Amino acid sequence: MTQGIRARQRAQTRAALVRQGRRLFATQGYAAVGLAELVQAAGVTKGALYHHFTGKPDLFRAVLAEVQQEVADRVAAAADAHHDPWSRFTAGCRAFLTASTDPQLQRIMLVDGPAVLGWNEWRALDEATSGRHLAEALTELVGSGTIGRQPVAPLARLLSGAMNEAALWLAGTTDPAALDDTWAALSRMLAALRTPAPARPAG
């Protein structure tokens, strides 16, 4: 029983650090947040922080993983609301762009994420979450003939790169029409991938 209580306490401490870290990183930015502020906000000691994380970068890594999983869940929920494979695909893409305009996610996921962890690790986290959903959707579309038969891996990375670049731009612009304009441009790009429907016989 004692071990169970301690395990719950450890889980609660870690959750408090991640929760407060996410709040502070989102509002102030990674560089402006100190360890003293983090542990004070979480109501724990520095020793408790180092019990769970090797330091601030490691805590940020946990926060970023949580944020990227949340975005992936939004993408999946938007896609699952549709039955048609193409509608699922486009709804997921739009949900990703929309999530990138959320101020609570932007700074952590798009601004500080690549800068703190480096591009390779950031990409690995992205591929494990939203990137995986994108590859699965493309695999389904290629398999059904909706998109011409082709290797999925390079196509997924090309589209992921385009959407991540668009998300970075959306995070930095104040244009109220930016999201709609970006989605319109992306929709045209995606539509070009579709296999033309066979012509109906005349008469």
Side-chain angles (χ1 to χ4, degrees):
M1 182 176 292
T2 301
Q3 288 183 342
I5 293 173
R6 288 176 178 172
R8 284 196 299 273
Q9 289 174 338
R10 287 194 296 269
Q12 289 170 354
T13 297
R14 188 184 189 281
L17 284 164
V18 172
R19 182 173 60 253
Q20 294 302 326
R22 177 171 175 170
R23 180 180 65 83
L24 292 170
F25 293 144
T27 56
Q28 299 180 32
Y30 176 85
V33 179
L35 284 180
E37 186 177 8
L38 280 166
V39 297
Q40 182 179 9
V44 302
T45 64
K46 282 188 179 181
L49 184 147
Y50 282 115
H51 178 78
H52 293 279
F53 304 100
T54 59
K56 191 171 75 162
D58 195 30
L59 172 58
F60 180 83
R61 184 180 291 106
V63 169
L64 176 60
E66 180 179 278
V67 166
Q68 289 193 314
Q69 185 59 55
E70 182 178 311
V71 172
D73 291 345
R74 291 189 191 185
V75 169
D80 290 346
H82 299 267
H83 297 292
D84 170 65
W86 182 259
S87 297
R88 285 201 299 271
F89 171 58
T90 54
C93 291
R94 178 151 195 166
F96 176 81
L97 289 181
T98 302
S100 71
T101 65
D102 185 337
Q104 295 300 312
L105 306 180
Q106 284 179 342
R107 192 159 199 169
I108 294 170
M109 185 176 76
L110 300 171
V111 179
D112 285 340
V116 174
L117 299 185
W119 180 251
N120 288 337
E121 186 172 358
W122 184 88
R123 282 291 301 143
L125 285 171
D126 180 64
E127 287 190 11
T129 50
S130 297
R132 178 173 58 83
H133 289 298
L134 177 61
E136 290 173 353
L138 289 170
T139 298
E140 181 182 23
L141 291 170
V142 169
S144 67
T146 306
I147 290 178
R149 190 160 296 280
Q150 59 188 289
V152 168
L155 179 59
R157 281 159 178 78
L158 284 167
L159 290 179
S160 178
M163 286 192 286
N164 280 325
E165 185 63 30
L168 283 167
W169 179 71
L170 287 170
T173 184
T174 57
D175 183 354
L179 178 59
D180 288 340
D181 290 346
T182 300
W183 174 241
L186 180 61
S187 294
R188 289 190 290 270
M189 286 178 57
L190 298 179
L193 295 171
R194 296 194 73 172
T195 302
R200 294 181 178 180

